[in-house]
Amino acid sequence: MAKKYKVGDVLTGKVTGIQPYGAFVALDETTQGLVHISEITYGFVKEISDFLTIGQTVEVKILEVDDDAKKISLSIRALKERPPMRKKEAVPRKSLQDRVDESDSVGFNSLKVKLRDWIEESGIK
């Protein structure tokens, strides 16, 4: 690594390669880092090429620097505002007892009927 990079630095780089697991970004003439697929954006990313293209200039944040392995982990997502969580529709939830009672009336009712049949078939009185 020609230049000393540190965790938290925000830099501009150029996408140099795209793999199924992430995108390589050149930080200078001799140093590049990896933006893992999970660090591209919030939400699910199936195809990195839907978000990035080779040659594209991107702003990245350094998450980790491993001088021994000469690896730099980058994030694009860390520079974006987290989208608000979607609220589920306001449907009143049934209590656990209501759900058990509902299951009992449907699921165990047939078992109750079958039990009588099985006892009759066995000859036990």
Side-chain angles (χ1 to χ4, degrees):
M1 288 185 254
K3 184 178 171 190
K4 188 70 176 167
Y5 294 101
K6 62 183 188 299
V7 173
D9 285 351
V10 176
L11 308 162
T12 300
K14 189 171 280 197
V15 177
T16 59
I18 295 177
Q19 295 295 322
Y21 51 84
F24 290 95
V25 175
L27 302 175
D28 61 37
E29 298 79 27
T30 60
T31 308
Q32 64 179 359
L34 175 70
V35 178
H36 187 268
I37 190 169
S38 65
E39 291 295 331
I40 291 175
T41 190
Y42 288 99
F44 180 73
V45 175
K46 183 175 182 179
E47 292 291 331
I48 296 171
S49 58
D50 291 342
F51 296 89
L52 300 172
T53 57
I54 293 176
Q56 179 181 353
T57 301
V58 292
E59 192 173 30
V60 294
K61 182 175 184 176
I62 297 180
L63 299 179
E64 185 179 344
V65 177
D66 185 342
D67 288 322
D68 296 333
K70 296 183 178 164
K71 291 183 179 180
I72 299 178
S73 298
L74 306 170
S75 177
I76 297 170
R77 180 179 80 164
L79 298 173
K80 296 179 180 179
E81 188 174 323
R82 178 184 279 282
M85 298 295 289
R86 292 189 308 160
K87 291 184 179 179
K88 293 183 179 178
E89 294 179 27
V91 176
R93 291 187 60 174
K94 294 181 183 179
S95 71
L96 178 58
Q97 188 60 54
D98 289 341
R99 289 183 285 164
V100 168
D101 291 343
E102 188 177 276
S103 295
D104 281 350
S105 68
V106 176
F108 289 105
N109 202 14
S110 60
L111 183 60
K112 193 185 298 184
V113 171
K114 281 296 202 182
L115 185 59
R116 286 190 212 123
D117 293 342
W118 295 333
I119 292 173
E120 286 178 20
E121 288 176 13
S122 70
I124 299 174
K125 297 200 179 201

